[in-house]
Amino acid sequence: MHRTKVKVVAEALDANNTIAAANRSDFDRAGVRVVNFMSAPGAGKTALLERVLADLAGVRVGVLEGDVQGSIDADRLAGLHVPVVQLNTSPGFGGECHLDANIVRTALPSLPLDDLDLLVIENVGNLVCPAEFRVGEDRRVMVCSVTEGEDKPLKYPLMFRTCDLVLVNKIDLLPHLEYDLDKLLYNVDQVNPGVERLLVSARTGEGIESWRAWLMGIADREGTLA
Amino acid sequence: MHRTKVKVVAEALDANNTIAAANRSDFDRAGVRVVNFMSAPGAGKTALLERVLADLAGVRVGVLEGDVQGSIDADRLAGLHVPVVQLNTSPGFGGECHLDANIVRTALPSLPLDDLDLLVIENVGNLVCPAEFRVGEDRRVMVCSVTEGEDKPLKYPLMFRTCDLVLVNKIDLLPHLEYDLDKLLYNVDQVNPGVERLLVSARTGEGIESWRAWLMGIADREGTLA
């Protein structure tokens, strides 16, 4: 039974990687850079996109919104006048807990890839399985809210280990928490030494210009944009 | 491909239910009531257990701690002098995102079931898959932190729909958040009308006596305990 299960899982991950590579080819052909954006539920992914997507100084951006059910986040982003496509994972498995390469692939015909420089894929809120499934992304960004405690890198190591940027969000709440920011950053370095990190608050705007600049730097692969 | 996947998933859930029923028989034979305790990462499950488990007025309690990796939470509870067994899901699938009936079953020989009235199973922090896998529990309790936003019942409906108690935690932070508690409770009632809910703060102790009383009520199946 266990060996069968391991085999099924290995085959599923192999199949996923094959489709992720196909996605990547399509993204490269269209000249679009792709960010897989991940966090626990309620860490502030959508709020951090609301803060920056309307003004990326010439970078043409689109969004894939992944949720188990509903279109709350896509509706929030609709006012930004960027292309947004909602993906719901609920038809499978009583709600898949992550996006995989195949579900992302089903959305590609709905996106004007040739007219984009950057695609942000907002994953399902979950610190485990989203880290296991490549979707064809160039970069992985995760949001870690200071309300979640300092121990999360040690408890969800794959997520922290495989990301290229950690956004430490809700820092406006630090005065009201018993939270040791140095301990969090120490734990981040334990699993992903030296990984880039930005301290931000989607609510007050602190650190948001750095987040905007990071995204624009990813999109500007030839260094020709302003 | 899709049909194969659905079949594999259906078979996995069937197998899980069979083992969950076996767990339930063992729990019943030992006279122990079981709570499956779930939430998003960092919502405060362990802190809410720390608050009550040391003093349940005669109820003999044990804990199963589920984590992808590490024993941080089990170590935190060790000082309470109750039996705690750590389960790590990392050997499977690069880290399973939930406990299933089988992994719980592997831990049962390590627990003094006959000497317990109550077993609390702290699940992996995740609002999706833990709700899909019964482990043999009598009751499901979920923690929803006010820092996560009011929309979570609508985005993770299965978790909210299948629980028997919602603990709304971190209410001490309400003065520092733009959070509409009525909207959260309205959304909870949209997916699970009338479900029991308690407003609590593991930090200040507000609401903790009600949470303690709820747990003791579950354990006291014949109504004979003080």
Side-chain angles (χ1 to χ4, degrees):
Chain A
M1 171 67 194
H2 184 63
R3 198 174 303 177
T4 306
K5 186 176 174 193
V6 168
K7 187 161 168 282
V8 168
V9 168
E11 286 172 359
L13 287 177
D14 278 354
N16 184 74
N17 284 338
T18 301
I19 301 171
N23 290 349
R24 185 60 180 269
S25 294
D26 288 354
F27 296 142
D28 282 344
R29 198 158 33 234
V32 57
R33 287 291 188 105
V34 179
V35 169
N36 189 351
F37 197 35
M38 302 181 278
S39 79
K45 291 188 298 304
T46 310
L48 286 165
L49 293 181
E50 287 178 306
R51 273 284 185 178
V52 298
L53 292 193
D55 181 16
L56 287 178
V59 172
R60 300 165 300 172
V61 64
V63 181
L64 271 185
E65 272 296 335
D67 282 297
V68 174
Q69 192 169 314
S71 62
I72 293 172
D73 291 346
D75 297 344
R76 283 171 65 183
L77 296 180
L80 302 179
H81 304 296
V82 301
V84 179
V85 174
Q86 178 75 51
L87 289 175
N88 281 146
T89 69
S90 56
F93 200 16
E96 293 275 2
C97 63
H98 59 277
L99 297 180
D100 63 18
N102 191 54
I103 192 168
V104 166
R105 190 152 191 78
T106 64
L108 298 191
S110 309
L111 281 164
L113 281 190
D114 287 333
D115 300 328
L116 297 180
D117 304 303
L118 178 67
L119 174 65
V120 177
I121 300 177
E122 185 176 338
N123 219 307
V124 178
N126 179 354
L127 289 182
V128 188
C129 299
E132 297 170 350
F133 290 83
R134 294 270 164 193
V135 295
E137 68 269 36
D138 295 279
R139 293 286 190 283
R140 296 181 151 201
V141 179
M142 72 161 294
V143 185
C144 174
S145 161
V146 295
T147 58
E148 295 164 5
E150 306 93 343
D151 60 354
K152 294 301 162 292
L154 306 179
K155 296 179 76 177
Y156 303 90
L158 187 67
M159 175 63 74
F160 284 83
R161 188 178 297 129
T162 62
C163 71
D164 302 292
L165 173 68
V166 179
L167 294 173
V168 182
N169 192 26
K170 306 192 190 179
I171 59 169
D172 56 290
L173 292 176
L174 283 174
H176 312 296
L177 302 173
E178 289 149 33
Y179 187 84
D180 186 339
L181 186 58
D182 288 338
K183 189 171 171 189
L184 181 270
L185 297 176
Y186 176 85
N187 287 340
V188 167
D189 281 323
Q190 290 294 106
V191 298
N192 193 350
V195 63
E196 206 170 346
R197 77 280 320 256
L198 295 172
L199 307 182
V200 299
S201 167
R203 189 192 197 184
T204 67
E206 193 171 345
I208 292 299
E209 287 317 307
S210 301
W211 161 225
R212 190 194 309 274
W214 191 93
L215 266 182
M216 291 175 59
I218 295 304
D220 184 17
R221 73 176 71 198
E222 276 89 32
T224 53
L225 293 170
Chain B
M1 172 67 194
H2 183 64
R3 200 175 300 178
T4 306
K5 187 177 175 194
V6 169
K7 185 161 169 282
V8 168
V9 168
E11 284 173 359
L13 287 176
D14 278 354
N16 185 75
N17 283 339
T18 301
I19 301 171
N23 291 349
R24 184 61 179 270
S25 293
D26 288 355
F27 295 142
D28 283 344
R29 198 158 35 235
V32 56
R33 287 290 188 108
V34 178
V35 169
N36 189 353
F37 197 34
M38 302 181 279
S39 79
K45 292 187 298 303
T46 310
L48 286 165
L49 293 180
E50 286 178 306
R51 273 284 185 177
V52 299
L53 291 193
D55 180 16
L56 287 177
V59 172
R60 300 164 301 171
V61 64
V63 181
L64 271 185
E65 273 296 335
D67 282 297
V68 173
Q69 190 170 313
S71 62
I72 293 173
D73 291 346
D75 296 344
R76 283 171 64 182
L77 296 179
L80 303 179
H81 305 295
V82 301
V84 179
V85 174
Q86 178 75 49
L87 288 175
N88 281 146
T89 68
S90 56
F93 200 18
E96 292 275 3
C97 63
H98 59 276
L99 296 180
D100 63 18
N102 191 55
I103 192 169
V104 166
R105 190 152 190 80
T106 63
L108 298 190
S110 309
L111 281 164
L113 281 189
D114 288 333
D115 300 328
L116 297 180
D117 303 304
L118 178 67
L119 174 64
V120 178
I121 301 177
E122 186 177 337
N123 218 308
V124 178
N126 179 354
L127 289 182
V128 188
C129 299
E132 297 170 350
F133 290 83
R134 295 268 162 194
V135 296
E137 68 268 38
D138 295 279
R139 293 285 189 283
R140 295 180 151 202
V141 179
M142 72 161 295
V143 185
C144 174
S145 161
V146 295
T147 59
E148 295 164 5
E150 307 94 341
D151 59 354
K152 293 301 162 291
L154 307 180
K155 295 180 75 176
Y156 303 90
L158 187 69
M159 175 63 73
F160 284 83
R161 187 178 297 130
T162 62
C163 71
D164 302 292
L165 173 67
V166 178
L167 294 172
V168 182
N169 192 26
K170 307 193 191 180
I171 59 169
D172 57 290
L173 292 176
L174 283 174
H176 311 296
L177 303 173
E178 290 148 32
Y179 187 84
D180 186 340
L181 186 58
D182 288 337
K183 188 171 171 188
L184 181 271
L185 298 176
Y186 176 85
N187 287 340
V188 167
D189 280 324
Q190 290 293 105
V191 298
N192 194 348
V195 63
E196 206 169 346
R197 78 279 320 254
L198 294 172
L199 307 183
V200 300
S201 167
R203 188 191 196 184
T204 67
E206 192 171 346
I208 292 298
E209 286 318 307
S210 301
W211 160 225
R212 190 194 310 275
W214 190 93
L215 267 182
M216 291 175 60
I218 295 303
D220 184 17
R221 71 176 73 199
E222 276 89 32
T224 53
L225 294 169

